[in-house]
Amino acid sequence: MQIRESAEDYLEAILMLSKKGDGVRSIDIAAQLGVSKPSVSHAMKLLREDGYIAMDRYGTVTLLEKGEQIASRIYERHTVLSQLLEDLGVTPEVALADACKMEHDLSAESFEKIKEHYRQHHENHENN
């Protein structure tokens, strides 16, 4: 399933905002991503047409199954990569920014190996 990096960012933002418990609105997404409301409206239209999200009559955005799958994958990559970078001594701000860049371009094979290594290292570190 190939999807553009910007669409992945929108889906990840929707997932992150939905974890806060309130309904996700376009204005929340614009604030989260630092983009204009018209940009969000255009992106929501495309994501809705492609079956990644649904919007109710009040403008509340919900991830559909295939949107949720992509958002969860990107969020996991973001989380693991930023934690790994912080553990290496990178400042949290830089780690988050770099994780955003890396999460889209890293192959599935490389990410799985990084995740496996990180988890093993993290577990060994916690047990000592």
Side-chain angles (χ1 to χ4, degrees):
M1 179 179 341
Q2 193 65 3
I3 185 169
R4 292 181 48 188
E5 182 176 322
S6 60
E8 290 178 339
D9 287 338
Y10 279 102
L11 294 171
E12 180 185 22
I14 294 165
L15 178 67
M16 291 169 67
L17 289 165
S18 68
K19 289 180 180 285
K20 294 180 179 179
D22 294 334
V24 179
R25 299 168 305 143
S26 292
I27 194 154
D28 304 320
I29 299 165
Q32 175 88 8
L33 295 175
V35 297
S36 69
K37 185 131 174 6
S39 293
V40 174
S41 294
H42 178 70
M44 294 303 102
K45 178 182 183 285
L46 295 175
L47 291 171
R48 191 173 58 248
E49 288 172 354
D50 290 341
Y52 294 105
I53 64 163
M55 290 180 81
D56 67 16
R57 61 186 178 138
Y58 303 107
T60 304
V61 180
T62 307
L63 290 169
L64 297 177
E65 184 177 343
K66 71 180 191 175
E68 174 97 33
Q69 288 173 350
I70 292 169
S72 294
R73 178 178 53 86
I74 294 299
Y75 183 72
E76 178 188 35
R77 285 172 169 242
H78 184 93
T79 302
V80 169
L81 293 169
S82 62
Q83 288 173 348
L84 174 66
L85 291 170
E86 282 188 50
D87 286 354
L88 293 172
V90 177
T91 63
E93 298 79 22
V94 173
L96 285 173
D98 287 348
C100 282
K101 296 172 195 168
M102 296 165 55
E103 66 195 17
H104 302 287
D105 294 327
L106 204 56
S107 71
E109 179 183 0
S110 292
F111 177 70
E112 287 304 315
K113 294 299 181 186
I114 289 170
K115 183 171 73 171
E116 184 180 307
H117 176 79
Y118 174 76
R119 292 212 168 117
Q120 287 175 352
H121 176 74
H122 207 288
E123 288 171 7
N124 289 341
H125 188 70
E126 286 180 348
N127 292 332
N128 291 332

